[in-house]
Amino acid sequence: MGRNTIIGIILAVLLLGGIAGAFAYVAGSSNEPAAQEPERTPAPTPSQVQPEPAEETLDEGQDEDPLADREAMEELGMEVAEIMTTWDPNEDFNQTAAEMRAADLMTEELSDSITAPERPTTGTEWLDAAEAGATSQPTVKPNRATSNEVVSIEASWVWVTEDGDVISNPTERRLFYFNFEEGDDGELLVSDYSYDSV
């Protein structure tokens, strides 16, 4: 066998070995498992999202307790009605004097609008009370509800002497209607009123 033949055989063997190795590498690579991507958590759908509970807040100007405001208005209304139906005929020129005594529980605009008539009170009941030295003692209570802004107070009174003698039964009643607003310091004040004798 010649030298050239031997070299040719060696080259053929090497060539075939390289091809076989390449096939083996490709085959081995195809059998290896592919790298797995990390699992992803699916995003929640809108229906699965639980909203956080909203904090309960009061709108600006909304009353925390309307019933408490109503009670405060009724209490102030009763106080004002009691003052305005307490008279001493020997001291008061007329009944409007009592309304002026309640001015510090009213708005400035309302209190400035109260003017006493020039004529004195001259009714029989008033004159009899003055002769007996009696003053009126009122009883006041809330009347039927009218609206959220208006409070109605019923007032009746008897005339009582200095000795405590009652000289008349309550024959006259007044139904007061009061409106309110807050003063500069936040205090509740009467902003308007009217009354009917019944």
Side-chain angles (χ1 to χ4, degrees), residues 29 65 90 92 97 108 116 128 135 137 143 179 182 188 192:
S29 298
D65 187 353
N90 287 309
D92 296 334
E108 184 176 354
D128 289 346
T135 58
Q137 289 189 2
N143 195 35
N179 293 77
E182 284 190 359
L188 192 64
D192 196 12

Side-chain angles (χ1 to χ4, degrees), residues 103 105-112 181-183 189-192:
L105 300 175
M106 304 175 184
T107 61
E108 184 176 354
E109 181 180 4
L110 176 60
S111 63
D112 289 344
E181 66 180 48
E182 284 190 359
L189 298 171
V190 173
S191 61
D192 196 12

Side-chain angles (χ1 to χ4, degrees), residues 155-177:
S156 60
W157 56 89
V158 294
W159 295 93
V160 182
T161 67
E162 292 182 355
D163 296 332
D165 296 329
V166 177
I167 64 171
S168 70
N169 293 319
T171 57
E172 185 180 359
R173 292 182 299 134
R174 284 186 181 178
L175 291 180
F176 288 90
Y177 302 94

Side-chain angles (χ1 to χ4, degrees), residues 50-95:
Q50 297 296 326
E52 295 183 2
E55 295 183 2
E56 293 184 2
T57 57
L58 293 174
D59 295 334
E60 185 177 353
Q62 179 179 348
D63 296 331
E64 293 183 3
D65 187 353
L67 290 178
D69 288 346
R70 184 74 181 182
E71 289 178 0
M73 289 190 294
E74 288 182 348
E75 288 178 5
L76 179 57
M78 287 190 292
E79 182 179 358
V80 173
E82 183 174 357
I83 294 172
M84 293 199 300
T85 52
T86 301
W87 305 289
D88 182 348
N90 287 309
E91 296 291 337
D92 296 334
F93 185 68
N94 49 44
Q95 294 185 1

